[in-house]
Every structure is written in structure tokens, then in C-alpha cells.
Amino acid sequence: MKTTLAVFALALTLSTSAFAGDRLVYTVKGHEVLTLKKISKTRFTKISQVVTGQASLDYITAKGTKNLSSQEINEASEELVSLEVTGKNVVRLIDIKENINKEIPATVSTSLFGSVKAITVSAQTMEGLYAASMKKSGLDTLRNLRLLGGAISSSIVSTDMTCAADGDLLICQQDQTLTLLAQ
């Protein structure tokens, strides 16, 4: 229903003011909390993954900005995700939903007895792993509007994924912002 109203409002706005330089901006800001359970000293499997945040669609003209749609995000994922420390500063990340099974560089902190205390994966590494699916998700939303004839550009900004051990749990957090611009 919100999408239908947004499309109607966008069509009305585009039909009444078609100035050069008008832009359509789709922004998704999310905070992800991934909770993993300890399987061994160096291996963890997901027990929950929740993304919360905000998605908005704005129409920008020389006269100002008009919000066409805004929606809260609160999504959980059921697919398998696991992390395993395979080397001094190397982690194997498996994410079934995104078809990822790779060893990646990470900063790993361990206890004297070899148990993982913390893991940090750089934003650049995480962006490289997940950029294709994030862009596809946003581009699909814009293409469904079927009102765009211009170029679409995108940007993804992420924070490092930081994980901290809490007993038998490893709690990982990361923020991401996806911005798609159609002119």
C-alpha cells in the first residue's frame, strides 16, 4: 500500500514539475546484530540475525525535497551464517543466503588458552563481500517504480563488523547505508 501511494505521489510530482536536475534518492540505513553460538574455541554458528533501521524514498527538485515514502526496517534472517578462525588473522565466513564461503582478513583477539575474545572485520572487506546483494536489492526497488529513464548511481558506506565474546556467545554489530540516486 505504501509503495502504491509513493508511486502515485511520484507520478503526480513528475507530471507537474519536470525540471532538469530533479533527482530521486532511495536511502537504506541499517544496524545489524548477529548473535553466534560457540561451537568450539574458534568456531561460531548463528542463532539470530536482526537488521533494524530506516528506508526512505525522496524526490529532490530545485524547490526542495519531498519525502515519498519512509519505512521502518526490522528483519530477521533464518539462513546459516558461521564464523571460524582459521589462522592468526584469518576468518572463514559462511553465509548461505548470500552464497559466501570465503576466508577473509580480520583482527582476532584470543585468550591465553586460544578462545576467541573479539573479531573485527574491516568495512572494506564486508562491503566487498556484500556489495553486490545490497546494490541489487536497492536497484530492484527503484526499477519496480518504472518511472526512471535516467542514470542510476549508488554508494554503500559500512562500518567495521565488530564482534565481542560474551560467555558462549559472539555478538557482532555493523552499520550500513545504501544510497541510490536516479537523475
Side-chain angles (χ1 to χ4, degrees), residues 21-36:
D22 291 2
R23 296 177 294 184
L24 189 61
V25 179
Y26 179 65
T27 306
V28 179
K29 294 181 180 183
H31 177 75
E32 178 180 16
V33 178
L34 172 64
T35 305
L36 302 121

PDB file of all heavy atoms in Angstrom, residues 21-36:
ATOM      1  N   GLY A  21      17.744  18.381 -13.466  1.00  0.00           N
ATOM      2  CA  GLY A  21      18.386  18.310 -12.168  1.00  0.00           C
ATOM      3  C   GLY A  21      17.539  17.670 -11.087  1.00  0.00           C
ATOM      4  O   GLY A  21      17.997  17.511  -9.961  1.00  0.00           O
ATOM      5  N   ASP A  22      16.284  17.334 -11.382  1.00  0.00           N
ATOM      6  CA  ASP A  22      15.456  16.627 -10.403  1.00  0.00           C
ATOM      7  C   ASP A  22      16.085  15.266 -10.134  1.00  0.00           C
ATOM      8  O   ASP A  22      16.643  14.634 -11.029  1.00  0.00           O
ATOM      9  CB  ASP A  22      14.032  16.432 -10.929  1.00  0.00           C
ATOM     10  CG  ASP A  22      13.260  17.746 -11.015  1.00  0.00           C
ATOM     11  OD1 ASP A  22      13.845  18.795 -10.695  1.00  0.00           O
ATOM     12  OD2 ASP A  22      12.087  17.701 -11.407  1.00  0.00           O
ATOM     13  N   ARG A  23      15.979  14.813  -8.876  1.00  0.00           N
ATOM     14  CA  ARG A  23      16.592  13.542  -8.504  1.00  0.00           C
ATOM     15  C   ARG A  23      15.645  12.739  -7.635  1.00  0.00           C
ATOM     16  O   ARG A  23      14.848  13.289  -6.874  1.00  0.00           O
ATOM     17  CB  ARG A  23      17.882  13.780  -7.721  1.00  0.00           C
ATOM     18  CG  ARG A  23      18.956  14.465  -8.513  1.00  0.00           C
ATOM     19  CD  ARG A  23      20.151  14.739  -7.671  1.00  0.00           C
ATOM     20  NE  ARG A  23      19.754  15.717  -6.642  1.00  0.00           N
ATOM     21  CZ  ARG A  23      20.561  16.244  -5.764  1.00  0.00           C
ATOM     22  NH1 ARG A  23      21.810  15.910  -5.746  1.00  0.00           N
ATOM     23  NH2 ARG A  23      20.141  17.107  -4.882  1.00  0.00           N
ATOM     24  N   LEU A  24      15.775  11.452  -7.736  1.00  0.00           N
ATOM     25  CA  LEU A  24      15.067  10.517  -6.882  1.00  0.00           C
ATOM     26  C   LEU A  24      16.140   9.804  -6.067  1.00  0.00           C
ATOM     27  O   LEU A  24      17.091   9.258  -6.627  1.00  0.00           O
ATOM     28  CB  LEU A  24      14.287   9.520  -7.737  1.00  0.00           C
ATOM     29  CG  LEU A  24      13.324   8.593  -7.046  1.00  0.00           C
ATOM     30  CD1 LEU A  24      12.223   9.393  -6.340  1.00  0.00           C
ATOM     31  CD2 LEU A  24      12.697   7.651  -8.046  1.00  0.00           C
ATOM     32  N   VAL A  25      16.033   9.847  -4.734  1.00  0.00           N
ATOM     33  CA  VAL A  25      17.053   9.264  -3.867  1.00  0.00           C
ATOM     34  C   VAL A  25      16.410   8.216  -2.964  1.00  0.00           C
ATOM     35  O   VAL A  25      15.446   8.502  -2.243  1.00  0.00           O
ATOM     36  CB  VAL A  25      17.736  10.346  -2.986  1.00  0.00           C
ATOM     37  CG1 VAL A  25      18.784   9.719  -2.078  1.00  0.00           C
ATOM     38  CG2 VAL A  25      18.355  11.421  -3.851  1.00  0.00           C
ATOM     39  N   TYR A  26      16.942   7.003  -3.019  1.00  0.00           N
ATOM     40  CA  TYR A  26      16.489   5.897  -2.176  1.00  0.00           C
ATOM     41  C   TYR A  26      17.611   5.607  -1.190  1.00  0.00           C
ATOM     42  O   TYR A  26      18.739   5.328  -1.596  1.00  0.00           O
ATOM     43  CB  TYR A  26      16.190   4.674  -3.043  1.00  0.00           C
ATOM     44  CG  TYR A  26      15.745   3.461  -2.278  1.00  0.00           C
ATOM     45  CD1 TYR A  26      14.550   3.451  -1.566  1.00  0.00           C
ATOM     46  CD2 TYR A  26      16.511   2.305  -2.269  1.00  0.00           C
ATOM     47  CE1 TYR A  26      14.128   2.329  -0.873  1.00  0.00           C
ATOM     48  CE2 TYR A  26      16.099   1.182  -1.578  1.00  0.00           C
ATOM     49  CZ  TYR A  26      14.909   1.194  -0.891  1.00  0.00           C
ATOM     50  OH  TYR A  26      14.502   0.084  -0.202  1.00  0.00           O
ATOM     51  N   THR A  27      17.329   5.699   0.106  1.00  0.00           N
ATOM     52  CA  THR A  27      18.344   5.509   1.141  1.00  0.00           C
ATOM     53  C   THR A  27      17.887   4.443   2.128  1.00  0.00           C
ATOM     54  O   THR A  27      16.750   4.487   2.607  1.00  0.00           O
ATOM     55  CB  THR A  27      18.599   6.826   1.913  1.00  0.00           C
ATOM     56  OG1 THR A  27      18.909   7.855   0.977  1.00  0.00           O
ATOM     57  CG2 THR A  27      19.743   6.670   2.896  1.00  0.00           C
ATOM     58  N   VAL A  28      18.773   3.502   2.405  1.00  0.00           N
ATOM     59  CA  VAL A  28      18.506   2.477   3.404  1.00  0.00           C
ATOM     60  C   VAL A  28      19.628   2.541   4.435  1.00  0.00           C
ATOM     61  O   VAL A  28      20.805   2.390   4.088  1.00  0.00           O
ATOM     62  CB  VAL A  28      18.463   1.059   2.784  1.00  0.00           C
ATOM     63  CG1 VAL A  28      18.205   0.015   3.855  1.00  0.00           C
ATOM     64  CG2 VAL A  28      17.421   0.979   1.684  1.00  0.00           C
ATOM     65  N   LYS A  29      19.252   2.799   5.696  1.00  0.00           N
ATOM     66  CA  LYS A  29      20.217   2.816   6.800  1.00  0.00           C
ATOM     67  C   LYS A  29      19.859   1.673   7.734  1.00  0.00           C
ATOM     68  O   LYS A  29      18.718   1.585   8.191  1.00  0.00           O
ATOM     69  CB  LYS A  29      20.161   4.139   7.563  1.00  0.00           C
ATOM     70  CG  LYS A  29      20.605   5.318   6.744  1.00  0.00           C
ATOM     71  CD  LYS A  29      20.556   6.589   7.541  1.00  0.00           C
ATOM     72  CE  LYS A  29      21.008   7.754   6.659  1.00  0.00           C
ATOM     73  NZ  LYS A  29      21.050   9.009   7.385  1.00  0.00           N
ATOM     74  N   GLY A  30      20.823   0.804   8.001  1.00  0.00           N
ATOM     75  CA  GLY A  30      20.537  -0.350   8.840  1.00  0.00           C
ATOM     76  C   GLY A  30      21.606  -0.623   9.879  1.00  0.00           C
ATOM     77  O   GLY A  30      22.784  -0.305   9.685  1.00  0.00           O
ATOM     78  N   HIS A  31      21.176  -1.187  10.993  1.00  0.00           N
ATOM     79  CA  HIS A  31      22.068  -1.639  12.061  1.00  0.00           C
ATOM     80  C   HIS A  31      21.827  -3.137  12.232  1.00  0.00           C
ATOM     81  O   HIS A  31      20.704  -3.563  12.515  1.00  0.00           O
ATOM     82  CB  HIS A  31      21.790  -0.907  13.373  1.00  0.00           C
ATOM     83  CG  HIS A  31      22.635  -1.394  14.508  1.00  0.00           C
ATOM     84  ND1 HIS A  31      23.967  -1.075  14.626  1.00  0.00           N
ATOM     85  CD2 HIS A  31      22.349  -2.209  15.556  1.00  0.00           C
ATOM     86  CE1 HIS A  31      24.461  -1.662  15.719  1.00  0.00           C
ATOM     87  NE2 HIS A  31      23.493  -2.347  16.289  1.00  0.00           N
ATOM     88  N   GLU A  32      22.870  -3.922  12.035  1.00  0.00           N
ATOM     89  CA  GLU A  32      22.757  -5.376  12.113  1.00  0.00           C
ATOM     90  C   GLU A  32      23.389  -5.898  13.388  1.00  0.00           C
ATOM     91  O   GLU A  32      24.484  -5.486  13.764  1.00  0.00           O
ATOM     92  CB  GLU A  32      23.451  -6.014  10.908  1.00  0.00           C
ATOM     93  CG  GLU A  32      23.427  -7.523  10.942  1.00  0.00           C
ATOM     94  CD  GLU A  32      24.126  -8.130   9.737  1.00  0.00           C
ATOM     95  OE1 GLU A  32      24.886  -7.425   9.041  1.00  0.00           O
ATOM     96  OE2 GLU A  32      23.923  -9.325   9.503  1.00  0.00           O
ATOM     97  N   VAL A  33      22.661  -6.799  14.061  1.00  0.00           N
ATOM     98  CA  VAL A  33      23.205  -7.508  15.217  1.00  0.00           C
ATOM     99  C   VAL A  33      23.137  -8.993  14.894  1.00  0.00           C
ATOM    100  O   VAL A  33      22.063  -9.552  14.691  1.00  0.00           O
ATOM    101  CB  VAL A  33      22.417  -7.203  16.509  1.00  0.00           C
ATOM    102  CG1 VAL A  33      22.984  -8.002  17.675  1.00  0.00           C
ATOM    103  CG2 VAL A  33      22.462  -5.712  16.820  1.00  0.00           C
ATOM    104  N   LEU A  34      24.304  -9.601  14.822  1.00  0.00           N
ATOM    105  CA  LEU A  34      24.438 -11.022  14.529  1.00  0.00           C
ATOM    106  C   LEU A  34      24.922 -11.712  15.797  1.00  0.00           C
ATOM    107  O   LEU A  34      25.980 -11.374  16.320  1.00  0.00           O
ATOM    108  CB  LEU A  34      25.439 -11.223  13.387  1.00  0.00           C
ATOM    109  CG  LEU A  34      25.875 -12.636  13.041  1.00  0.00           C
ATOM    110  CD1 LEU A  34      24.689 -13.453  12.529  1.00  0.00           C
ATOM    111  CD2 LEU A  34      26.981 -12.595  12.000  1.00  0.00           C
ATOM    112  N   THR A  35      24.126 -12.656  16.305  1.00  0.00           N
ATOM    113  CA  THR A  35      24.497 -13.383  17.520  1.00  0.00           C
ATOM    114  C   THR A  35      24.836 -14.813  17.133  1.00  0.00           C
ATOM    115  O   THR A  35      24.023 -15.512  16.525  1.00  0.00           O
ATOM    116  CB  THR A  35      23.352 -13.363  18.548  1.00  0.00           C
ATOM    117  OG1 THR A  35      22.992 -12.000  18.801  1.00  0.00           O
ATOM    118  CG2 THR A  35      23.777 -14.020  19.849  1.00  0.00           C
ATOM    119  N   LEU A  36      26.050 -15.221  17.489  1.00  0.00           N
ATOM    120  CA  LEU A  36      26.528 -16.565  17.164  1.00  0.00           C
ATOM    121  C   LEU A  36      26.807 -17.347  18.437  1.00  0.00           C
ATOM    122  O   LEU A  36      27.228 -16.764  19.449  1.00  0.00           O
ATOM    123  CB  LEU A  36      27.808 -16.474  16.324  1.00  0.00           C
ATOM    124  CG  LEU A  36      27.671 -15.696  15.029  1.00  0.00           C
ATOM    125  CD1 LEU A  36      28.616 -14.532  15.003  1.00  0.00           C
ATOM    126  CD2 LEU A  36      27.894 -16.591  13.848  1.00  0.00           C
TER     127      LEU A  36
END
